[in-house]
Amino acid sequence: MTHETLDIKTNDGTCPAHVFAPDGTGPWPGAIIYTDILGMRPATIEFAERLASYGYVVLLPDLFYRRGPYAPIDPKPAFASGNFAEVAAPMRAAVNKQQAADDTLFYLDALTARADVKPGKIGVTGYCFGGGVAIVAAGTYPDRIGAAGAFHAGNLATDDADSPHLLLPRIDAELYVGAAEKDHSYPFEMQERFKQAADAAGVTYTHELYEGAGHGWTQTDFPIYNKEADDRHWRELIALFKRTIG
């Protein structure tokens, strides 16, 4: 497997990114990962490497580059001390879902310009904050995104003007939403609102509840990490990508 870093120019600055690719010349389908609110750190880099091992060229951008350089955040002390919100606050202030989706134009261009990326639509997948970004990006670039996964994503169907569910009528990608059973940011009533909006929009989607899993269950460096649910997430994500982008 190959690993390289690059700087992607956007309208608002320069976004550092990692790219992982299988060995060989390819071409392989392309994929983008949108991280949770704590951003780039060793666990997310390992995550991107694992996705690439399934046969994808994977772009992992730093969604929070507008904040400026920052040291990798260790989630466990933040959770243990009870000041997670304080730790995450500078990240939340750095970018919103639509800004991250707008940046995706430059991520797509960087990815599809590569000789080892197969022509055609790419897949995206997001986690927590990044799950909402994945859906908004799919609605912003329907002609370029063929699959979107959103896992333990919060606030997917709110009254806010930038709520992800409002983009559903513009989406051409197949969606997979994996909801955590224990997630105050995506309660049952909101899940139903999202599914009703997806049905009304005629979106091809799967929406599943991960019983016993909490918000953030896929992140190996989170105390809430749930291996059984994470293994299921990987099976569903790769199945989604295989039947859509190859």
Side-chain angles (χ1 to χ4, degrees):
M1 182 176 300
T2 64
H3 174 209
E4 61 187 273
T5 59
L6 69 158
D7 292 328
I8 300 174
K9 300 293 185 181
T10 74
N11 287 331
D12 290 334
T14 302
C15 173
H18 295 262
V19 179
F20 288 91
D23 290 326
T25 58
W28 299 279
I32 298 172
I33 295 174
Y34 300 108
T35 67
D36 59 59
I37 199 67
L38 296 187
M40 200 78 76
R41 56 191 192 277
T44 60
I45 293 172
E46 292 172 3
F47 197 101
E49 184 176 18
R50 178 170 179 179
L51 180 54
S53 74
Y54 289 98
Y56 298 91
V57 179
V58 179
L59 178 70
L60 177 69
D62 182 1
L63 305 183
F64 308 96
Y65 68 89
R66 291 173 178 83
R67 178 186 174 180
Y70 59 91
I73 299 172
D74 184 348
K76 291 182 180 177
F79 279 105
S81 64
N83 68 339
F84 183 88
E86 180 181 342
V87 171
M91 311 296 273
R92 295 187 188 280
V95 66
N96 59 42
K97 293 182 182 72
Q98 188 60 61
Q99 286 175 313
D102 291 343
D103 289 340
T104 297
L105 172 63
F106 304 96
Y107 305 156
L108 288 165
D109 287 347
L111 190 58
T112 57
R114 295 174 59 95
D116 57 356
V117 173
K118 185 177 78 171
K121 293 186 177 183
I122 64 98
V124 299
T125 183
Y127 302 85
C128 301
F129 168 78
V133 175
I135 293 172
V136 176
T140 304
Y141 304 104
D143 58 329
R144 302 186 70 178
I145 295 176
F151 296 89
H152 47 77
N155 302 311
L156 294 185
T158 70
D159 293 330
D160 295 337
D162 63 349
S163 178
H165 82 289
L166 299 177
L167 275 292
L168 289 171
R170 296 178 55 185
I171 288 177
D172 191 47
E174 181 177 342
L175 303 184
Y176 181 95
V177 178
E181 181 180 21
K182 305 172 184 178
D183 192 344
H184 64 84
S185 69
Y186 194 46
F188 176 77
E189 295 78 10
M190 190 183 296
Q191 294 178 39
E192 290 302 304
R193 184 180 186 184
F194 182 90
K195 288 188 285 186
Q196 289 171 9
D199 289 337
V203 177
T204 300
Y205 78 98
T206 301
H207 190 292
E208 295 186 324
L209 183 68
Y210 283 60
E211 295 181 0
H215 185 81
W217 84 77
T218 64
Q219 303 304 298
T220 57
D221 56 350
F222 276 22
I224 199 69
Y225 176 69
N226 182 318
K227 186 179 186 307
E228 181 178 357
D230 183 35
D231 288 345
R232 176 183 168 190
H233 138 261
W234 280 108
R235 290 193 299 270
E236 296 294 348
L237 176 63
I238 300 307
L240 169 69
F241 280 5
K242 283 185 176 180
R243 67 177 174 262
T244 53
I245 63 170

